[in-house]
Amino acid sequence: MRVAIVGAGLAGLATAVDLADAGHEVEIFEARPFVGGKVGSWVDKDGNHIEMGLHVFFYNYANLFALMQKVGALDNLLAKQHTHTFINRGGDVRQLDFRFPLGAPFNGLKAFFTTPQLSWQDKLQNSLALATSPVVRGLVDYQGAMKQIRALDKFSFADWFRRHGGSNGSLKRMWNPIAYALGFIDTEQISARCMLTIFQMFATKTEASRLNLLAGSPAEYLHKPIVDYLTARGVKIHTRRQTRQILFTGEGDHIQVTGLVVANGDSEETITADAYLAACDVPGIQRLLPTAWRSLPEFDNIYQLDAVPVATVQLRFDGWVTELNDAEARRQLERAAGLDNLLYTPDADFSCFADLALASPKDYYRPGEGSLMQLVLTPGDPFIKQSNEAIAQHVLKQVQDLFPSSRELNMTWYSVVKLAKSLYREAPGMDPYRPAQKTPIANFFLAGSYTQQDYIDSMEGATLSGKQAAAAILATVG
Ligand SMILES: Cc1cc2nc3c(=O)[nH]c(=O)nc-3n(C[C@H](O)[C@H](O)[C@H](O)COP(=O)(O)OP(=O)(O)OC[C@H]3O[C@@H](n4cnc5c(N)ncnc54)[C@H](O)[C@@H]3O)c2cc1C
């Protein structure tokens, strides 16, 4: 079987791995000059590694980890301490500390009851909300609880949480930074399904809440091993080859795809195959689908989905931002197991960030230099139209507010990557509009983190969608 794949993000790559393993002929066409989609990275003319965004890997990314193991990339992950660290204004470091001799859910309970990030009142109200959530059922019946969680998609997390006794204090100081990190929107806008899915994973799997970062850039430490694995199995991967049109015959339930019109330099080429997979992002699939297909609800629903803006900033310093001068702040930091981890903050326009020179040292640490802060601006809306210089200066000021002693350092370099449309907006009520990987067209399939899969829009979700797409292609066409 010959399969043509549009898009070389993780979803497209994961599908290609399963199809190549099953002995099929696969060709991938990617519009950008690099593979990896939203996890992509590249090197600028001065040797700086620029990333589409800061990427952390939860320990329960079972499908992605299996893929990484297969291609020999699993050892490229650096496991961080089992803590979630919050940096408040003025160098005040607090944490959710999951380190505990007992496993889930006890390590989670310990983390929530001992965190200084919340007042006792907030903690009690938090426990009330979580005790009445499907997460409790999930301890004995995971699938049953997931069904209940999916049914809560129509509510925002904040509405659901307050109705179950949760407090605004917890939303502000803890759940908003986490919601921003997960979906780039706050708890008033994110669906209860999205947050509760993650809580359920944390409550049932001891290590799920533990984070990993790559040893260096995604291009080198994630995508290169996947691309090497694929090319060794005859898969052809083309970059700068945007698919411009899907050719088809028939109408309604009798549509058959006959080819793809793909850009090739200044001209175009028609590609034919036995099966076609669109592994695009939301804006990509909305542009690509033929207008006539909107008569089918499965395709028309896709136009209900929206994507959120985000901006990622890198700031390089001539010293360590995290070398706090204040003795109490340093003590807090030591208790929080250092800053070699993903960090959250409720007190800046970036919700999560990391010092890549510490956390992903292979491509980011430079002897004689200091921190390379990578910060994710959420919501990204106000920043999309601002100049990179203005954004970098704004973020620098906020880094200095979080780490006052960094005012003595100089920012030596910056980069800004803006994505006007990134993750699909996990807003309440959107879940029913997400398409399945198998479509009403027998030889046309969909993959991508926005398609139906029981994870949030994430690397694991993209990989899972790719595996589900490969299974559908093998079952239907193969
Ligand atoms: C700033 C940021 C931070 C993130 N942080 C995390 C994190 O910490 N942990 C985590 O798990 N996830 C994170 N994510 C989410 C994760 O990156 C995505 O969920 C995942 O990469 C989606 O993969 P995908 O293959 O579904 O889509 P994409 O990666 O978007 O890939 C789709 C590909 O299709 C291509 N394409 C589209 N249309 C066409 C066309 N017509 N022709 C050819 N090619 C086309 C695109 O160029 C793109 O390369 C983050 C995302 C961003 C933006």
Side-chain angles (χ1 to χ4, degrees):
M1 175 171 60
R2 289 174 310 135
V3 185
I5 298 182
V6 182
L10 269 177
L13 294 173
T15 316
V17 166
D18 280 4
L19 293 176
D21 282 350
H24 299 289
E25 231 178 88
V26 182
E27 213 166 345
I28 309 181
F29 299 91
E30 165 57 48
R32 290 195 172 106
F34 51 85
V35 303
K38 289 195 272 288
V39 202
S41 71
W42 64 94
V43 185
D44 74 4
K45 60 179 178 14
D46 301 318
N48 299 297
H49 292 261
I50 318 271
E51 297 187 7
M52 295 285 274
L54 173 61
H55 279 81
V56 295
F57 301 63
F58 284 109
Y59 237 106
N60 68 332
Y61 279 8
N63 293 285
L64 179 57
F65 285 9
L67 172 65
M68 290 175 77
Q69 172 117 44
K70 182 180 274 188
V71 303
L74 199 59
D75 291 344
N76 296 342
L77 285 175
L78 300 180
K80 303 302 173 191
Q81 287 286 351
H82 201 165
T83 59
H84 287 219
T85 304
F86 293 78
I87 311 291
N88 302 306
R89 190 171 287 114
D92 175 40
V93 185
R94 312 253 168 146
Q95 68 186 143
L96 268 176
D97 188 347
F98 289 84
R99 293 170 296 178
F100 198 53
L102 298 179
F106 303 104
N107 66 338
L109 291 173
K110 179 255 173 185
F112 283 103
F113 277 108
T114 56
T115 183
Q117 183 67 8
L118 297 179
S119 70
W120 271 105
Q121 167 84 24
D122 288 337
K123 283 181 205 177
L124 288 172
Q125 289 187 252
N126 244 335
S127 358
L128 188 66
L130 292 180
T132 52
S133 76
V135 173
V136 174
R137 176 176 179 187
L139 299 176
V140 286
D141 173 13
Y142 195 92
Q143 288 312 329
M146 275 312 297
K147 211 168 151 199
Q148 266 182 290
I149 289 175
R150 270 182 235 119
L152 293 173
D153 185 61
K154 50 185 179 295
F155 303 108
S156 77
F157 177 72
D159 278 350
W160 176 89
F161 188 67
R162 280 188 294 254
R163 268 200 296 128
H164 284 74
S167 65
N168 281 326
S170 297
L171 291 174
K172 190 155 175 276
R173 301 308 296 174
M174 183 169 286
W175 301 128
N176 271 347
I178 291 182
Y180 275 132
L182 292 175
F184 305 163
I185 47 182
D186 68 13
T187 49
E188 305 290 343
Q189 296 188 48
I190 204 165
S191 128
R193 175 192 55 77
C194 181
M195 295 290 280
L196 290 170
T197 300
I198 297 295
F199 290 177
Q200 154 102 330
M201 286 166 185
F202 284 12
T204 51
K205 298 188 182 113
T206 305
E207 293 284 283
S209 43
R210 191 164 169 202
L211 298 166
N212 295 262
L213 272 97
L214 281 173
S217 66
E220 199 55 36
Y221 291 88
L222 180 62
H223 301 129
K224 186 173 179 304
I226 302 178
V227 168
D228 289 348
Y229 182 92
L230 287 173
T231 46
R233 281 153 189 80
V235 175
K236 296 194 184 101
I237 305 174
H238 312 277
T239 52
R240 298 180 198 273
R241 300 285 304 274
Q242 186 191 27
T243 299
R244 296 203 173 135
Q245 198 187 340
I246 299 175
L247 305 175
F248 64 99
T249 57
E251 55 185 57
D253 290 343
H254 302 288
I255 295 171
Q256 175 87 4
V257 175
T258 54
L260 302 175
V261 178
V262 178
N264 192 359
D266 291 335
S267 59
E268 289 176 342
E269 189 186 350
T270 299
I271 305 293
T272 56
D274 302 308
Y276 301 85
L277 171 76
C280 304
D281 46 1
V282 168
I285 193 67
Q286 290 176 342
R287 271 195 305 268
L288 185 62
L289 290 175
T291 317
W293 293 9
R294 291 191 67 174
S295 61
L296 298 169
E298 289 86 345
F299 294 118
D300 195 43
N301 283 345
I302 294 175
Y303 293 85
Q304 299 288 338
L305 300 176
D306 185 19
V308 289
V310 69
T312 301
V313 181
Q314 287 187 359
L315 306 180
R316 194 179 275 286
F317 291 87
D318 59 357
W320 295 96
V321 164
T322 44
E323 258 170 12
L324 300 172
N325 288 342
D326 176 66
E328 172 51 25
R330 267 207 315 278
R331 262 196 301 281
Q332 283 185 17
L333 192 56
E334 276 156 25
R335 277 202 298 274
L339 293 185
D340 172 11
N341 209 331
L342 177 75
L343 306 168
Y344 303 92
T345 182
D347 289 335
D349 291 330
F350 46 87
S351 51
C352 63
F353 61 107
D355 185 346
L356 291 185
L358 279 176
S360 287
K362 282 274 167 63
D363 287 324
Y364 299 101
Y365 168 68
R366 288 186 181 168
E369 299 192 14
S371 295
L372 177 65
M373 306 303 286
Q374 181 153 285
L375 316 102
V376 186
L377 285 164
T378 51
D381 312 55
F383 299 99
I384 297 299
K385 289 206 173 125
Q386 288 185 26
S387 73
N388 290 357
E389 169 69 21
I391 294 173
Q393 291 302 335
H394 177 75
V395 172
L396 172 63
K397 165 93 187 41
Q398 295 199 329
V399 168
Q400 291 169 339
D401 287 346
L402 295 187
F403 300 99
S405 51
S406 71
R407 293 198 181 107
E408 292 157 23
L409 306 177
N410 295 305
M411 180 179 82
T412 54
W413 173 84
Y414 69 82
S415 84
V416 178
V417 175
K418 297 174 193 166
L419 288 176
K421 285 182 182 285
S422 65
L423 305 185
Y424 82 87
R425 189 180 291 276
E426 306 237 26
M430 285 296 112
D431 213 33
Y433 297 112
R434 295 168 67 188
Q437 287 77 31
K438 183 171 161 37
T439 76
I441 300 173
N443 67 344
F444 181 77
F445 301 83
L446 296 169
S449 49
Y450 76 92
T451 61
Q452 282 172 19
Q453 44 84 14
D454 245 342
Y455 213 97
I456 59 168
D457 193 332
S458 63
M459 295 182 282
E460 172 68 1
T463 309
L464 183 55
S465 79
K467 292 193 76 67
Q468 290 175 185
I473 295 170
L474 291 171
T476 318
V477 188

